[in-house]
Amino acid sequence: DTAVSQTPKYLVTQMGNDKSIKCEQNLGHDTMYWYKQDSKKFLKIMFSYNNKELIINETVPNRFSPKSPDKAHLNLHINSLELGDSAVYFCASSQAAGLADTQYFGPGTRLTVL
Amino acid sequence: AQSVSQHNHHVILSEAASLELGCNYSYGGTVNLFWYVQYPGQHLQLLLKYFSGDPLVKGIKGFEAEFIKSKFSFNLRKPSVQWSDTAEYFCAVITGGSYIPTFGRGTSLIVHP
């Protein structure tokens, strides 16, 4: 059983388009995250949600809007895509906010903006 | 703000060679330390972690890491690597009062059979 899943795995789109990436975790965790991994492999936190509420928003352009319909899902919607948005986006979850704990990662979504 | 440095960006070894990957962080307080591994085409997964206690931590697949507080280091070691250890290795640090990890830029390890 996949613990953290993301769809799609690959996403190729034109500049200016709007796209969404979906994430689901079946671990019963309270906290979910979105990370961006750039071409130099740096992993940077974008957002953190705890029990459907936004906890962390790390200087991400407001073209990026996370949505958490329930604590098992955290989707990422991106408006007006730009070339610089090309990256691998990882969803992750952990047991609970406020606790330093292991992150469980999804397989990543490779976004290419042409 | 804390930072995590992995100075070895690319490491190439032959099977049975010993491995040590460096990880240094810049934070003087309490830290929680992690090593994650990303095998080709797979997601990141935890190799080992240190929260407290014995500074020598043993993880999966024969990996271990030693927390040396005075050196702000958490180096990853394996006495004898295998071809299947070919992967990207990421060090991560969570500092006191936070639960968000800061990741290093990763080390790409290639093991030749």
Side-chain angles (χ1 to χ4, degrees), chain A residues 3-114:
Chain A
V4 182
S5 59
Q6 291 177 233
T7 54
K9 193 167 183 180
Y10 299 96
L11 186 52
V12 181
T13 188
Q14 300 284 339
M15 268 175 40
N17 284 350
D18 303 338
K19 291 292 178 187
S20 292
I21 307 171
K22 295 186 176 181
C23 178
E24 177 180 1
Q25 55 97 3
N26 62 8
L27 296 166
H29 288 167
D30 286 337
T31 309
M32 296 184 72
Y33 311 81
W34 277 108
Y35 288 86
K36 180 180 180 181
Q37 185 179 45
D38 62 24
S39 58
K40 295 184 178 178
K41 298 288 179 74
F42 276 111
L43 262 170
K44 292 185 181 176
I45 185 76
M46 299 174 69
F47 301 102
S48 171
Y49 264 72
N50 183 55
N51 231 345
K52 300 193 298 176
E53 290 190 18
L54 180 65
I55 302 295
I56 300 278
N57 180 347
E58 288 285 324
T59 59
V60 177
N62 57 15
R63 297 183 294 103
F64 290 78
S65 53
K67 284 189 170 51
S68 181
D70 55 61
K71 77 172 192 176
H73 295 84
L74 180 61
N75 303 324
L76 183 64
H77 188 76
I78 315 170
N79 289 328
S80 302
L81 278 155
E82 300 177 357
L83 292 176
D85 297 332
S86 295
V88 182
Y89 292 84
F90 287 98
C91 178
S93 71
S94 66
Q95 186 74 35
L99 297 175
D101 206 350
T102 303
Q103 305 258 309
Y104 291 80
F105 284 86
T109 296
R110 183 173 293 277
L111 171 64
T112 303
V113 182
L114 303 174

Side-chain angles (χ1 to χ4, degrees), chain A residues 2-4 6 90 104-108, chain B residues 37-45:
Chain A
T2 304
V4 182
Q6 291 177 233
F90 287 98
Y104 291 80
F105 284 86
Chain B
V37 61
Q38 186 177 23
Y39 296 105
Q42 297 187 28
H43 58 277
L44 278 89
Q45 55 188 288

Side-chain angles (χ1 to χ4, degrees), chain A residues 39-41, chain B residues 6-13 19 21 87-88 105-110:
Chain A
S39 58
K40 295 184 178 178
K41 298 288 179 74
Chain B
Q6 291 182 243
H7 302 293
N8 315 105
H9 297 158
H10 300 279
V11 174
I12 301 174
L13 295 172
L19 171 72
L21 301 182
E88 293 275 345
R105 66 167 288 175
T107 297
S108 173
L109 171 66
I110 296 174

Side-chain angles (χ1 to χ4, degrees), chain B residues 23-43:
Chain B
C23 173
N24 289 89
Y25 61 91
S26 61
Y27 183 76
T30 304
V31 291
N32 297 294
L33 301 157
F34 305 79
W35 275 98
Y36 288 86
V37 61
Q38 186 177 23
Y39 296 105
Q42 297 187 28
H43 58 277

